[in-house]
Amino acid sequence: MALLALGLDPWSLLCLFLFQLFLAWLPLTAGGSGQGPLPRVTFGAGDGRRALSLFQQKGLQDFDTLLLSGDGGTLYVGARETILALDIQDSGMPKLKNMIPWPASDQKKNECAFKKKSIETQCFNFIRVLVSVNATHLYACGTFAFSPACTFIELQDSYLLPISEDKVVEGKGQSPFDPAHKHTAVLADGMLYSGTMNNFLGSEPILIRTLGPQPVLKTDNFLRWLQPDASFVAAIPSTHFVYFFFEETASEFEFFEKLHTSRVARVCKNDVGGDKLLQKKWTTFLKAQLLCSQPGQLPFNVIRHAVLLPAAAPAEPRVYATFSSQWQIGGTRSSAVCAFSLKDIKRVFEGKYKELNKETSRWTTYGVPEISPRPGSCSVGPSSDKALTFMKDHFLMDEQVMGTPLLVQSGVEYTKLAVETAQGVDGHSHLVMYLGTGSLHKAVVSEDNSAHLVEEIQLFPEPVRNLLLAPAQGAVFVGFSGGIWRIPRANCSIYESCVDCVLARDPHCAWDPESRTCCLLPTPIPLEDCFPCLLRKSWRQDMEQGNPNWACATGPMGRSFQSQSRPQMIKEVLAIPNSILELPCPHLSALASYRWSRGLAQVPEASAAAVYNGSLVLLLRGGVGGLYQCWATENGFSYPVVSYWVHSQDQPLALDPELAGIPRERMEAPLTRVGGGAALAAPRSYWPHFLTVTVLLALVLSGGLLLLLTSPLGVLRARGKVQGCETLPPGEKAPLSREQHLQPPKELRTSTSNVDADNNHLGPDVA
Ligand SMILES: *[C@@H]1O[C@H](CO)[C@@H](O)[C@H](O)[C@H]1NC(C)=O
Ligand SMILES: *[C@@H]1O[C@H](CO)[C@@H](O)[C@H](O)[C@H]1NC(C)=O
Ligand SMILES: *[C@@H]1O[C@H](CO)[C@@H](O)[C@H](O)[C@H]1NC(C)=O
């Protein structure tokens, strides 16, 4: 391209000026991100590298409730007015086994509409509870047009049998009235523990035990064990207790605004209620504050979801919970994930209580009472009146349960999570969290309790309603308003080189030097099965450091780095003189910084080249030929992503002898589109000049605009850069060519990406 063929042509001068300006703006338009770890790779909806399968059924919506069958092969789904059984054994799309309708009755729908609820959006049966009672029965509850109802559902070979109307019973306390209200339910030892709103208005929260042989027990509404706005998000049973996780207004703090707080409550499974006092009420109800915060920052005080990761032998069981904040920090919503050990929760429940002074309405600390057995413990009998009297007013613990923050992310609200451990090649367990927002984040927690995001999978603009991990299927199922996504744990094939595979730090993926592929580790790994263990010994992974230098080394340590930085493949570009060449560089990781080099020098310090959107845009003229490499630097490790040997057709350049022996791939520039000879012969026209100027001006203006929008600091830096341009060595600006012709960049651009459609997929192969 004859940008540099200035002569005295004013158009070309303007071109050069704008091009220099364009170079000056470029580095500043990048960067500027929120707080929290960036997902290393992001897949847009429909990206073929992360092929997801979507289950949808015509006429059905609100796929809110998910339940896995005992054998893990069937997924039961509670959708609006329907319950479905899906076969998930094959890796593809879930297949419908059968579905049964369970609509709210016409009478209830009419009553619902009469009470001024919407017949279009609210007066339906939204399924809220779906639990497995035994091998032949499920138990389901729904809002039933603001009149909660429950029923047993019989199974036959994990097919659902139709619901007969006479088997439907009232479900107050088990399902909310309003589909917008939160709820939780868990079946433990044949009894259903549920927490939700117990009235039409949604002003009376309840924590209730139903079904099974034990008496029905409730929280006492009059004693105010729960604040009227308590909102339940999870229930987790342990050996002796059932823990409830919820959020409510904090009454124990004096604060100028309504203060939300997150809680854990517990009840004993063997509670039978009181004889004289607290009849049909919990005698073991206690609650404590959950705290998820980073030192010196506002706490994340609104719990959104919680799950238990059962203990693997030496480690203690921990509860993982997502939180958001009632305050918007820096104008954006943010989330945190905290871990709470069951041991800490237990310790707080064994500590001091809080007591409300009825006269001053203030909460004070109350020590440990001299009552044995201790009130609230599971050995309190129904007739120990002294302990029960104490429990009526001492249900709030003095101490807080402090969580360990694992991940704090701004601009995102994680509403649901699932966790599992994955065993790496070295045999260590790694915690993997799947976090739902509008997309799915896969996070891996390191030993120092910090998390990195392996990937983000964009699903739908609609939020995730529910998230369920199916370990046997190696997939996460995500329910949303329109259907169910099946998301495999990982697609290790997207990492095409050892370096990329190791830098990804995905515990599910490891590099197999034998097959030169990034492989999915089988999980769970059968311990006694020796063959895969032997095989895996040679597999490469470095979860803690993510250091390819070490993990991808082929020879002795000293040699390894050299082998990593030597290109594995050179793309030879034979281009037309004076054309614009665009050399693409696939950006594999959002965590890497990218730069171009020419031989040993850095680009774009060399003239006549610019990096635009990651690609190197090169004005091909005499003397610019040579080796161009795009380097990625991630985790302190640099490697060439792609290497080009550029030379022009009229002056072929012999390959540097140092690069001999590296496989080469030739890419011809498309001749037809340039028509250099014709352009030379054509009468002089300013039209191409005009086009070039327009394009460059647009680029500069949009770059400048972006810059102004991103940071005021950037403007200052930009000034510095522009001045820097003027002090370029004279040689850099001097026109080297006498060509008088300017060619429009867009149309005549010689893009190697046109040459070989696969180029973009050709990652570095640096194993
Ligand atoms: C995994 O990634 C590879 C390479 O990008 C792609 O060809 C394949 O279709 C992907 N598979 C799935 C299941 O997403
Ligand atoms: C399963 O539970 C249902 C409902 O409680 C009961 O009717 C049925 O007898 C139980 N079946 C077995 C095999 O225990
Ligand atoms: C930048 O490059 C990516 C892919 O390499 C492409 O999808 C995107 O559209 C490009 N953006 C611009 C502004 O050219």
Side-chain angles (χ1 to χ4, degrees):
M1 146 114 202
L3 259 188
L4 305 138
L6 325 166
L8 296 167
D9 179 348
W11 278 106
S12 302
L13 263 175
L14 188 56
C15 267
L16 183 67
F17 172 68
L18 287 173
F19 193 75
Q20 294 283 2
L21 251 172
F22 175 50
L23 300 190
W25 291 113
L26 278 169
L28 300 160
T29 52
S33 62
Q35 276 186 323
L38 270 181
R40 186 175 182 271
V41 192
T42 298
F43 302 99
D47 192 320
R49 292 174 297 164
R50 222 46 179 99
L52 313 178
S53 24
L54 171 64
F55 173 85
Q56 283 183 302
Q57 185 73 24
K58 207 164 172 261
L60 291 192
Q61 52 181 317
D62 301 310
F63 295 77
D64 292 339
T65 314
L66 305 177
L67 170 71
L68 207 57
S69 69
D71 64 3
T74 304
L75 181 69
Y76 300 106
V77 181
R80 185 196 282 194
E81 311 230 292
T82 308
I83 296 168
L84 305 93
L86 306 180
D87 182 352
I88 54 166
Q89 293 190 66
D90 297 336
S91 60
M93 192 178 92
K95 285 193 273 299
L96 181 67
K97 291 174 92 154
N98 80 323
M99 56 184 201
I100 52 169
W102 188 24
S105 63
D106 286 343
Q107 185 208 338
K108 293 291 182 197
K109 281 187 179 173
N110 289 339
E111 286 172 21
C112 176
F114 184 72
K115 291 178 196 159
K116 298 269 190 305
K117 297 294 175 188
S118 161
I119 196 88
E120 271 101 40
T121 59
Q122 294 177 301
C123 297
F124 293 103
N125 189 20
F126 294 90
I127 310 302
R128 286 294 172 258
V129 177
L130 198 58
V131 290
S132 185
V133 177
N134 55 31
T136 58
H137 283 79
L138 301 183
Y139 185 72
C141 301
T143 58
F144 217 76
F146 276 77
S147 174
C150 294
T151 186
F152 284 99
I153 299 170
E154 211 180 324
L155 299 173
Q156 212 162 55
D157 294 334
S158 59
Y159 278 79
L160 305 155
L161 297 186
I163 295 166
S164 62
E165 243 173 72
D166 56 316
K167 279 207 206 134
V168 175
V169 295
E170 202 214 49
K172 221 159 104 50
Q174 298 175 340
S175 163
F177 285 67
D178 188 334
H181 280 146
K182 298 250 176 75
H183 72 100
T184 185
V186 69
L187 196 79
D189 305 340
M191 285 168 290
L192 188 75
Y193 294 82
S194 46
T196 190
M197 282 296 173
N198 197 31
N199 63 351
F200 181 85
L201 290 175
S203 56
E204 187 197 315
I206 189 169
L207 207 155
I208 187 171
R209 182 178 71 193
T210 48
L211 301 185
Q214 301 257 56
V216 170
L217 294 182
K218 302 174 188 180
T219 38
D220 192 300
N221 201 30
F222 177 74
L223 295 171
R224 285 276 204 151
W225 289 350
L226 296 166
Q227 290 292 312
D229 59 354
S231 174
F232 293 89
V233 298
I236 296 172
S238 75
T239 324
H240 299 295
F241 306 102
V242 177
Y243 295 97
F244 288 87
F245 293 83
F246 62 103
E247 173 238 320
E248 63 179 4
T249 301
S251 58
E252 70 265 36
F253 306 110
E254 282 160 57
F255 201 65
F256 58 89
E257 66 175 317
K258 184 174 138 155
L259 184 67
H260 293 261
T261 190
S262 296
R263 305 271 195 211
V264 53
R266 79 166 199 202
V267 293
C268 287
K269 281 183 178 172
N270 68 353
D271 198 336
V272 292
D275 277 345
K276 278 178 267 150
L277 293 164
L278 294 177
Q279 282 174 356
K280 296 184 184 156
K281 300 281 155 63
W282 296 106
T283 63
T284 54
F285 175 86
L286 290 172
K287 68 179 183 185
Q289 190 191 353
L290 283 176
L291 203 62
C292 178
S293 71
Q294 283 188 315
Q297 299 206 339
L298 285 171
F300 290 90
N301 57 340
V302 180
I303 190 167
R304 305 298 291 266
H305 193 207
V307 289
L308 174 78
L309 187 69
E316 48 184 332
R318 296 215 286 182
V319 171
Y320 296 87
T322 55
F323 290 82
S324 55
S325 176
Q326 99 182 72
W327 305 281
Q328 288 192 18
I329 298 149
T332 60
R333 294 244 161 245
S334 46
S335 310
V337 181
C338 271
F340 300 88
S341 83
L342 273 192
K343 220 166 80 193
D344 281 349
I345 295 177
K346 235 184 190 149
R347 191 179 45 76
V348 167
F349 281 122
E350 280 160 12
K352 292 175 184 167
Y353 302 81
K354 272 197 198 303
E355 184 179 60
L356 184 67
N357 183 322
K358 300 235 163 72
E359 272 149 39
T360 61
S361 295
R362 296 182 104 161
W363 288 85
T364 52
T365 302
Y366 185 95
V368 180
E370 308 220 323
I371 307 170
S372 180
R374 186 188 153 102
S377 70
C378 297
S379 27
V380 171
S383 53
S384 38
D385 291 352
K386 217 165 141 196
L388 267 42
T389 311
F390 182 84
M391 286 304 289
K392 283 164 96 175
D393 297 320
H394 301 87
F395 48 85
L396 179 60
M397 305 315 296
D398 189 49
E399 238 187 287
Q400 303 157 334
V401 187
M402 306 289 277
T404 310
L406 303 178
L407 177 65
V408 172
Q409 187 77 291
S410 68
V412 169
E413 273 190 276
Y414 294 130
T415 50
K416 292 280 175 187
L417 84 165
V419 297
E420 66 173 342
T421 51
Q423 203 177 6
V425 168
D426 58 2
H428 286 156
S429 283
H430 302 278
L431 180 74
V432 183
M433 309 194 286
Y434 304 92
L435 301 157
T437 56
S439 12
L440 188 78
H441 284 179
K442 178 175 179 180
V444 178
V445 181
S446 308
E447 263 159 29
D448 64 354
N449 281 329
S450 69
H452 62 271
L453 296 183
V454 172
E455 57 184 2
E456 168 179 298
I457 303 168
Q458 290 169 354
L459 299 172
F460 235 72
E462 282 150 282
V464 164
R465 298 266 181 94
N466 224 326
L467 205 144
L468 186 75
L469 189 69
Q473 319 300 334
V476 177
F477 290 88
V478 169
F480 69 104
S481 63
I484 307 263
W485 290 106
R486 177 200 184 103
I487 304 167
R489 270 194 190 113
N491 180 6
C492 301
S493 319
I494 61 168
Y495 309 116
E496 293 180 6
S497 68
C498 181
V499 170
D500 202 22
C501 186
V502 167
L503 284 171
R505 289 166 78 203
D506 185 333
H508 294 127
C509 298
W511 183 255
D512 175 17
E514 199 89 334
S515 65
R516 303 181 57 74
T517 46
C518 192
C519 296
L520 185 71
L521 283 175
T523 40
I525 297 165
L527 280 176
E528 69 282 1
D529 198 345
C530 250
F531 176 63
C533 302
L534 283 176
L535 179 81
R536 282 183 11 254
K537 270 239 166 79
S538 66
W539 287 17
R540 308 297 173 80
Q541 199 184 45
D542 180 12
M543 281 309 296
E544 283 306 316
Q545 305 293 323
N547 183 353
N549 248 340
W550 170 79
C552 297
T554 43
M557 282 302 259
R559 274 200 5 234
S560 65
F561 182 76
Q562 183 120 43
S563 76
Q564 301 302 329
S565 55
R566 197 174 153 82
Q568 293 295 298
M569 156 83 78
I570 292 180
K571 298 188 181 188
E572 202 179 339
V573 184
L574 198 61
I576 290 155
N578 302 316
S579 58
I580 285 189
L581 198 62
E582 186 185 334
L583 305 173
C585 174
H587 283 199
L588 303 170
S589 164
L591 307 182
S593 59
Y594 292 86
R595 71 189 159 86
W596 281 89
S597 71
R598 179 192 167 194
L600 294 173
Q602 185 111 345
V603 174
E605 268 148 43
S607 65
V611 182
Y612 177 66
N613 192 24
S615 296
L616 186 74
V617 182
L618 198 61
L619 306 169
L620 198 76
R621 56 189 168 89
V624 303
L627 180 70
Y628 287 85
Q629 288 183 292
C630 175
W631 293 78
T633 304
E634 182 173 358
N635 206 10
F637 179 81
S638 288
Y639 65 101
V641 180
V642 58
S643 308
Y644 296 96
W645 182 257
V646 176
H647 50 154
S648 74
Q649 282 173 337
D650 58 349
Q651 276 183 312
L653 204 60
L655 193 70
D656 197 323
E658 281 206 6
L659 303 172
I662 296 172
R664 270 183 282 166
E665 186 183 61
R666 195 155 201 180
M667 357 193 50
E668 300 275 348
L671 281 165
T672 49
R673 305 190 62 194
V674 180
L680 285 169
R684 192 184 168 92
S685 150
Y686 282 108
W687 176 240
H689 299 62
F690 175 71
L691 267 183
T692 311
V693 168
T694 313
V695 168
L696 285 173
L697 188 64
L699 286 174
V700 168
L701 287 181
S702 56
L705 196 65
L706 232 164
L707 182 79
L708 284 177
L709 290 176
T710 45
S711 79
L713 196 76
V715 176
L716 294 175
R717 279 167 59 204
R719 281 194 194 125
K721 289 268 166 147
V722 172
Q723 278 163 9
C725 265
E726 274 151 18
T727 58
L728 276 176
E732 299 288 79
K733 273 202 273 183
L736 294 176
S737 159
R738 293 180 174 228
E739 289 294 333
Q740 299 279 316
H741 294 271
L742 205 53
Q743 290 154 1
K746 279 273 157 165
E747 291 90 310
L748 299 187
R749 198 174 269 190
T750 312
S751 170
T752 50
S753 58
N754 294 337
V755 180
D756 180 352
D758 288 334
N759 278 356
N760 279 327
H761 303 288
L762 286 173
D765 206 11
V766 203

